[in-house]
Every structure is written in C-alpha cells, then in structure tokens.
Amino acid sequence: MTKITADMVREHGLSDSEYARILELMGREPSMVELGIFSVMWSEHCSYKSTRVHLKKLPTKAPWVIQGPGENAGVIDIGDGDACIFKMESHNHPSFIEPYQGAATGVGGIMRDVFTMGARPIAMMNALRFGEPSHPKTRHLVSGVVSGIGGYGNCMGVPTVGGEVNFHKSYNGNILVNAMCVGLARQDKIFLSAAKGAGNPVVYIGSKTGRDGIHGATMASAEFDDASEEKRPTVQVGDPFTEKLLLEACLELMATDAIIAIQDMGAAGLTSSSAEMGDKGGSGIELDLDKVPQRETNMTAYEMMLSESQERMLAVLKPGREAQAEAIFKKWELDFAVIGVTTDTSRLVVKHKGKIEADMPITALSDAAPVYERPYKERAALTGEPSFDKKKNALESLKTILASPDMASRRWIWEQYDHTVMSDTVQVPGGDAAVVRIHGTNKALAITTDVTPRYCRPDPFEGGKQAVAEAWRNLTAVGATPLAVTDNLNYGNPQKPEIMWEIVAGIDGIGAACRALDFPVIGGNCSLYNETNGEGILPTPAIGGVGLMKDVSKMATVGFKRDGDVIILIGETKGHLGQSIYLREIEGREEGAAPKVDLGLEKKNGDFVRGLIEAGRVDTVHDVSDGGLLVAIAEMALPRGIGANVGIAALPDAIPFWFGEDQARYVIAAPFAEAEKIVAEARAAFITVAELGKTGGDRLILDDRSSVGIASLKDGFEGWFPNFMSGEEIPVKN
C-alpha cells in the first residue's frame, strides 16, 4: 500500500486539517484510491463547503415546485400533467484551457443532468464572459467556445435559443462558460437518484471509461496561474453523437418500470455518481471495476474512479430487469454492464483485480464533508453619482454604445446555433427572453439568463437582487409568468475575506429578490476560485429564469410593428449613471453606485405590463436595462427598421434621462386609442408612466432637433462582432 505523504495530500487539494478529519473518519490511513475519492468529493466543486451554509437561506419552495435543490435538476409543475426540468452549470476552467471541448462537454453535462430526471431537452441557453476584446487570447476563446456549444447542441438536435455575452478585463485569465438546459417530462415519469434498497443491480451505461478528465473537479476548485495550460489532460472530450444515442436509450428505458434510481456521471465520474446515489438512498454500494467498460488498457482503480469521461450514466435497476435494460442499450449500440450491487452497509466498496481498493462510509463523503463558515470582510457599497459631460451629443453616443462589445448584436454567435430545430422556437435569439412552445399545445416556456457583473462588484447585494429582477423582467416582457430560477454563482477565492463577502452578499441579494417576486431557486451551481495569479473575476451570480405562457399567440416581442404607435415608458426615470454602460463606453470610467432595486416596484410594474400582454392589448414590449432608455428604444427600432420621434419637454439633464439605468422600467408601443387607456390605467394604479412619442419613418428623431438613420445605427450594431472575429484590430482602452 502506498504511503500517503503530506505532499500527496496537498496535491489532492486537501488541507492538513481535512486530512486529519479523514484519518478520524476512516480510523486508519486511506489508500491512494480512497484519498482520490475524498479529494474530489470534498472539493469545492462537489461539496460546496464554502457556500452550503449560505445557500440554505435561499427560498426553494412554492406550490408549483415539484423538486427543489438536491437532485440533478429542479422540477416545476406547468399544468396539464406536464413538468419542466431545468438547471444551469459552469464549465469555466476547462473552457479556458481547451475552449472547444470545455464548452462542448459543459453542454453535454447539463443535458445529462436534465434527461437523467426523465425529461427530453427542448432548449439550451448559455451565459458567457470573456476578457477584453484587445486581449490576445479573447478571439481564440470566443471562437472555440461558440464552436463547442454549437457543435454539441446542433448534433444533439436541441435548439440553443439564447443567452448573453459580456467582455471585461477581469475575465482575461478566467472566462466563464455557464450552460443551461430546459427539458419537458410528464409529472408521473420523473426519475430521482436515490439508490434505495439492498441487493439491486448497479449498471453502467453509455460510453467506455478512459483517462480523460481525471481530477477535473479538483482543478475546478483551485485558482489558475501561468502554468494552467498544462492542465489540458484534465479536460474531458465529448461525443454528441454518442450522447444522442444515450438520451434516446435512457428515455426508452424510462418508459419501462425497471429503474429504481439513475444518475449522470458528471464531475468526479463513477465516484460522485455512486456515492451520491448511495447517500440519498441510505444504502451502500459495492463496485467491481473489472466489469467497467474501458477504452484504454491497464487502467488503475484510481483512474477509473476519478475519470470524467463523458456520455456515461449509472443506474440502479429492479432485480431481474438487467436483460431487458441491456437489450435496449445494445440496440442503441451503447455499452451496458452490471458493475455492482446495492448493500445495506452504508459503505462504498471498490474492488479491482480481486483486491479491495476502497472501503469507506458513504456519509464520510457527504454529510461529514467539511462545511466552512469562512470569515468575510464586509465593505461599504460604492456610493455617489458620477460626473459627466453635459455637452455630449446623445445620438452620437447612442451610435457608439450600440457598436460597443457589450451592446452590439450577437447574431454572429447565435447564427452558429440551430435555434429552430424541433420546430417549437417561437421567439428567436435577440429578444428579451427566448420562447419555446410546448409541443402540440398553445402553451410555451419563456427562458432567460441574466446578471450585470459591473453592478455586483460595487454592491454585491444590490447586484444579486438586480440579476433576479432582470430575469423576472425579461420573462414578463414577453408575457410569461415567472416561475422559478436556477443560479450559477461565479466568484473568486472564498478563502479571501473580501471575496467571501461578495459571495454572502450576493446570495442574500438573490434570496431577497426571489422571496419578493415569488420566484424560488430550484437548483444551481457554485463555481469558485475563478482567479488567475491572484486576480479575481467580477462577481457574476448568473440567474437562469423560466416562466410559463398559457397562450403563446399573445406573446410580445421587442420590435416596433406599426407606424403611428404611441411609445410609453412604464416606471420612474431618475437618471442613474453609476456603473452604467454610458459611463464606461462614453466617459471611459467605471465608478459610482450600482442602481438600487425596488422589488415592490418591480412586482407592481411588471404585473401591470404582463396583464396588458395576457389580455392581448400590447404586442410590443422591451425592458429597459443595459444602456438605458434611448438604447431600449433603438433596440425596438432595429428589428424592422421602423423609426420613432421621441422626446420629453424641459428635461433638466438629457444624458441621465436617456442613458441612466434605473430599474423596474419597460417601454411599450400601442395604437393611439389603446395607449390612452393604458396611460389612464397606469396612473389610476399609481404607476409612473410617460408618453415618449410615436413610431414611424426610418429615423430616430430626438426632441425634434436631431436625428439618426436606423440603417446607420444598424450598421454599427450588426458590424462589431463580425469585424472583431474576422481579425480587425481592436484598440486597447486606457
């Protein structure tokens, strides 16, 4: 037996105190295989040891929540016996090291999380953050990640229907790739991962096991440095064609009653899937690794237990159903093997070549895993309204903003994704939320991903609130009732008190918003240690939201549709320029307070707008967010080239009014007679409302004094991304 040294313990990402706890739990020195198992199961990526105590504060229940956090994905009731199953997860570290495979396997992994619950995936989303466009690696990373997402999703035949992309220098050494999958199942056919009972066969299904991805979970729980490129062997390799077969085979097996439990082999592979299934079912699991299908020779028990080879599942079947299951998987040309049995010992036992390589209490890997209340150093949120040049031309600034990296069209990206496959995508990428019809019905799901990282650094609490509020607003803007969220909490090193404060405050902000908006958190993912050479990313608590639309024919979209419609602003404009796109892109500064989020106003204004859409009275709606009011109006003009004449009399300061990023606001457009009624109803409900002007022509006219052609705005808006990706030199900002 290999003697465990202090260096080995550190190489496995374990602290001295954690190793002392392992010795206490085991009553002896662990074997090398056991050390590897503890390493991955106690990693931040698998155990959430720094966040678990705070995640418990999030609201997770509602009458429509069928399954909250703790399973492969969350489940909500969407009526008529249907269930929506969804989750979002990160693949940040692998995607920086090897962008194509990192992103592709992130897509594959999140799909498995959803279909292991019994759902057929119907939509994919992604939330991507890259470094500065001028950084030498950014173009390569964008190209690889987008190709990886498209390559995997397109081969699976699942539409990628939207997402978001940001650029910021804080991501230069650590990009973020968050993937979200949404699936549909019947409520009476939802599968869980609890391996209950003893004497039941444990079966391995899918691809063979190789040496790729070993220590992937451990790598995802550590900071990067200049040598991180050498971690390429820890990145998994995906095969979407095999996953497509695995999806169909699993759904066919799920149509029988043979399954007791089923689990994706994701991070930590065989180790996490077997340990988590045993733990949730209160049983033990005994594995014989000689029976594991292998694609490489002379694999050790250590390698097999820690491999993160893709397209694999672990299932527990009812006794006697092995032949039936095997026939299904052989038909789909997939590996199938009975590799173990459940026991009543509550232990994980691993055998290889006649020798017991691991024998450990399953609770040591779950309940007994470390939970830290890490110290955090609270800091005051940034305050103050920044100065600005009042003489700047608003329309010239608008042109600059629309052609900037964070605001330009993402068409170059989403045209590489098949967003129409399955024929149920009702709203294409580029709107406030994606809308996907529930096949064969008039119902639809609205889906969005949102967070504004530039708000989260100056004020982590308000930034967390705003991420939830914007997701809620985007679902509302298409006419959907927001139902639930999944979160993807991307932060730096939690062992730094100032970073731990960002995490705690962000979670508290998310919780406050979810409670106020009746928008529970049903699952998610924490991705910490997103740092390179000690430099952390902007706090990025991405929110994936899902809402239900009962009549998709009444869906609202962003684009102006008719000449002569009245443009109406719902919500109060105070002109908040702190941390705004305007301040960064026009004034060249990132400073001031993040905008405050009044959750009562969010609910009141949003419910009012959604009521108009559901009643069929309004078909043109856009929430006001990045860039402010004038950017929102321009984005409504661009889709069909319909212009507008807008203005407000006696403005004290035009720049804050047109570009401030105050929250809880929507722009709607409606024919004159309907608009007059809407304004009267809003005032009667004590909702701040203003008529801004009318649609028409092919120019955006401001205050009857200056104008810009919609075609001119569109050139910059549509041109930035193709120009950037074609190799055009991007100037470095000071």
Side-chain angles (χ1 to χ4, degrees):
M1 181 170 163
T2 304
K3 174 72 177 171
I4 305 298
T5 66
D7 285 345
M8 286 180 185
V9 171
R10 277 190 288 277
E11 284 168 9
H12 281 76
L14 295 163
S15 68
D16 291 343
S17 61
E18 286 171 345
Y19 186 64
R21 177 70 175 141
I22 289 170
L23 294 176
E24 182 184 329
L25 289 166
M26 295 290 288
R28 58 174 171 79
E29 188 177 273
S31 68
M32 197 64 190
V33 174
E34 289 167 337
L35 183 68
I37 288 172
F38 273 113
S39 166
V40 292
M41 292 303 292
W42 284 17
S43 69
E44 192 71 63
H45 190 75
C46 291
S47 75
Y48 292 1
K49 56 192 175 187
S50 298
T51 54
R52 209 186 309 177
V53 68
H54 300 287
L55 293 172
K56 290 177 180 177
K57 297 182 284 187
L58 293 172
T60 59
K61 293 182 169 63
W64 54 89
V65 174
I66 296 172
Q67 175 66 55
E71 272 295 338
N72 288 292
V75 187
I76 55 174
D77 179 351
I78 55 171
D80 307 308
D82 293 322
C84 173
I85 300 179
F86 66 97
K87 193 180 184 186
M88 180 159 56
E89 282 206 340
S90 58
H91 233 219
N92 304 335
H93 288 61
S95 298
F96 183 77
I97 294 169
E98 211 302 294
Y100 183 94
Q101 289 296 347
T105 52
V107 169
I110 196 63
M111 281 200 205
R112 288 196 302 280
D113 279 340
V114 166
F115 73 71
T116 192
M117 301 281 292
R120 178 174 290 280
I122 62 162
M124 295 294 301
M125 296 279 276
N126 53 75
L128 312 177
R129 320 284 163 185
F130 298 102
E132 294 168 294
S134 58
H135 191 275
K137 280 189 176 180
T138 298
R139 190 181 288 110
H140 161 70
L141 291 168
V142 172
S143 177
V145 166
V146 171
S147 297
I149 291 169
Y152 209 103
N154 295 353
C155 291
M156 285 293 293
V158 178
T160 298
V161 293
E164 55 180 348
V165 182
N166 289 144
F167 296 88
H168 191 273
K169 62 185 177 183
S170 75
Y171 307 109
N172 280 349
N174 199 126
I175 65 172
L176 302 184
V177 176
N178 298 169
M180 178 178 175
C181 181
V182 179
L184 282 179
R186 296 295 294 172
Q187 291 180 25
D188 58 356
K189 280 288 183 181
I190 293 169
F191 292 82
L192 304 179
S193 57
K196 296 177 180 176
N200 301 317
V202 177
V203 301
Y204 173 115
I205 46 188
S207 287
K208 289 179 168 61
T209 293
R211 291 188 170 94
D212 52 321
I214 293 171
H215 280 302
T218 309
M219 175 192 71
S221 307
E223 293 182 27
F224 275 167
D225 55 30
D226 291 330
S228 292
E229 294 275 337
E230 297 167 11
K231 294 181 179 178
R232 220 172 269 273
T234 62
V235 178
Q236 312 92 324
V237 178
D239 179 359
F241 298 105
T242 298
E243 178 132 335
K244 174 64 173 170
L245 300 177
L246 183 61
L247 163 64
E248 300 301 339
C250 284
L251 292 179
E252 185 173 334
L253 181 61
M254 288 166 171
T256 72
D257 64 346
I259 298 174
I260 293 173
I262 186 165
Q263 171 90 4
D264 160 44
M265 284 194 223
L270 258 176
T271 288
S272 63
S273 55
S274 56
E276 288 171 10
M277 290 173 83
D279 178 55
K280 289 174 186 172
S283 64
I285 288 189
E286 191 173 294
L287 299 177
D288 182 352
L289 299 187
D290 294 343
K291 297 177 180 177
V292 170
Q294 299 160 54
R295 69 166 182 261
E296 298 185 51
T297 58
N298 299 318
M299 287 193 73
T300 64
Y302 181 97
E303 290 171 329
M304 278 188 273
M305 290 302 292
L306 271 61
S307 166
E308 293 184 10
S309 294
Q310 296 292 286
E311 295 86 39
R312 302 180 299 160
M313 311 281 272
L314 200 65
V316 175
L317 304 180
K318 295 176 181 176
R321 307 301 287 274
E322 298 92 327
Q324 178 187 17
E326 183 173 15
I328 290 171
F329 284 89
K330 293 299 183 189
K331 181 185 86 172
W332 289 98
E333 299 181 348
L334 294 165
D335 280 289
F336 176 95
V338 179
I339 66 166
V341 65
T342 59
T343 68
D344 59 4
T345 65
S346 296
R347 297 184 74 80
L348 175 62
V349 178
V350 179
K351 298 178 178 177
H352 186 224
K353 295 184 177 178
K355 180 183 172 187
I356 294 177
E357 294 281 1
D359 183 353
M360 52 212 304
I362 280 181
T363 53
L365 305 174
S366 54
D367 297 346
V371 176
Y372 295 126
E373 291 195 45
R374 296 198 186 277
Y376 53 84
K377 184 179 180 182
E378 187 170 344
R379 68 169 191 265
L382 290 185
T383 58
E385 273 293 309
S387 61
F388 61 93
D389 183 351
K390 295 183 179 183
K391 296 177 183 176
K392 294 274 189 187
N393 181 284
L395 291 179
E396 286 301 315
S397 296
L398 175 67
K399 286 181 71 172
T400 300
I401 288 170
L402 288 176
S404 67
D406 271 10
M407 299 303 295
S409 168
R410 272 59 180 134
R411 183 184 302 275
W412 182 90
I413 294 178
W414 58 257
E415 284 190 341
Q416 298 184 54
Y417 304 151
D418 190 340
H419 57 274
T420 60
V421 66
M422 300 177 86
S423 302
D424 283 314
T425 304
V426 185
Q427 185 157 167
V428 301
D432 282 329
V435 180
V436 179
R437 183 189 295 108
I438 296 168
H439 194 72
T441 75
N442 206 32
K443 296 190 302 184
L445 294 173
I447 312 160
T448 186
T449 59
D450 293 287
V451 64
T452 310
R454 66 181 187 279
Y455 297 165
C456 297
R457 175 60 57 80
D459 194 334
F461 179 75
E462 288 295 327
K465 281 169 59 180
Q466 194 275 341
V468 174
E470 187 168 348
W472 194 87
R473 216 159 47 228
N474 280 328
L475 299 175
T476 292
V478 298
T481 300
L483 291 179
V485 306
T486 177
D487 57 32
N488 205 145
L489 308 180
N490 307 276
Y491 290 92
N493 183 347
Q495 296 176 57
K496 296 178 178 178
E498 61 274 20
I499 301 296
M500 195 64 216
W501 162 242
E502 293 178 346
I503 296 168
V504 173
I507 291 172
D508 287 347
I510 290 168
C514 287
R515 276 185 287 274
L517 299 172
D518 214 6
F519 203 23
V521 180
I522 63 166
N525 172 246
C526 291
S527 174
L528 308 185
Y529 296 96
N530 288 292
E531 299 198 3
T532 298
N533 294 328
E535 290 293 315
I537 61 164
L538 289 177
T540 311
I543 299 294
V546 172
L548 178 65
M549 197 177 297
K550 292 181 179 175
D551 183 356
V552 72
S553 68
K554 293 177 179 174
M555 174 186 75
T557 56
V558 165
F560 291 141
K561 297 171 182 63
R562 298 163 292 272
D563 286 354
D565 274 5
V566 179
I567 301 168
I568 302 168
L569 171 62
I570 301 290
E572 185 179 5
T573 299
K574 295 179 180 178
H576 185 97
L577 283 180
Q579 304 298 333
S580 65
I581 287 286
Y582 180 90
L583 194 69
R584 190 177 75 191
E585 297 300 330
I586 305 303
E587 297 281 351
R589 308 196 313 274
E590 295 181 43
E591 62 186 45
K596 295 293 182 186
V597 180
D598 183 326
L599 295 167
L601 274 183
E602 290 284 359
K603 183 127 185 29
K604 186 177 184 180
N605 295 354
D607 288 348
F608 178 77
V609 170
R610 190 185 316 104
L612 296 174
I613 300 169
E614 289 177 338
R617 297 172 62 189
V618 171
D619 62 2
T620 308
V621 179
H622 190 14
D623 87 307
V624 182
S625 55
D626 292 343
L629 179 55
L630 194 59
V631 169
I633 293 169
E635 288 172 340
M636 298 173 84
L638 288 168
R640 301 190 185 192
I642 297 175
N645 189 333
V646 295
I648 290 283
L651 270 180
D653 281 315
I655 295 300
F657 181 82
W658 291 120
F659 297 105
E661 295 184 9
D662 306 280
Q663 302 295 295
R665 295 185 298 162
Y666 301 81
V667 177
I668 61 179
F672 178 79
E674 189 62 54
E676 293 301 294
K677 294 177 190 172
I678 290 169
V679 169
E681 289 167 20
R683 287 175 177 154
F686 301 102
I687 290 171
T688 302
V689 62
E691 294 183 43
L692 299 178
K694 288 187 177 180
T695 62
D698 60 1
R699 302 185 71 77
L700 182 55
I701 304 169
L702 198 58
D703 296 321
D704 288 323
R705 288 200 305 270
S706 54
S707 70
V708 63
I710 303 302
S712 173
L713 292 177
K714 194 165 190 172
D715 286 345
F717 179 68
E718 294 287 354
W720 185 86
F721 235 109
N723 291 342
F724 170 58
M725 295 309 296
S726 68
E728 181 179 282
E729 188 172 335
I730 303 297
V732 178
K733 286 194 175 183
N734 293 326

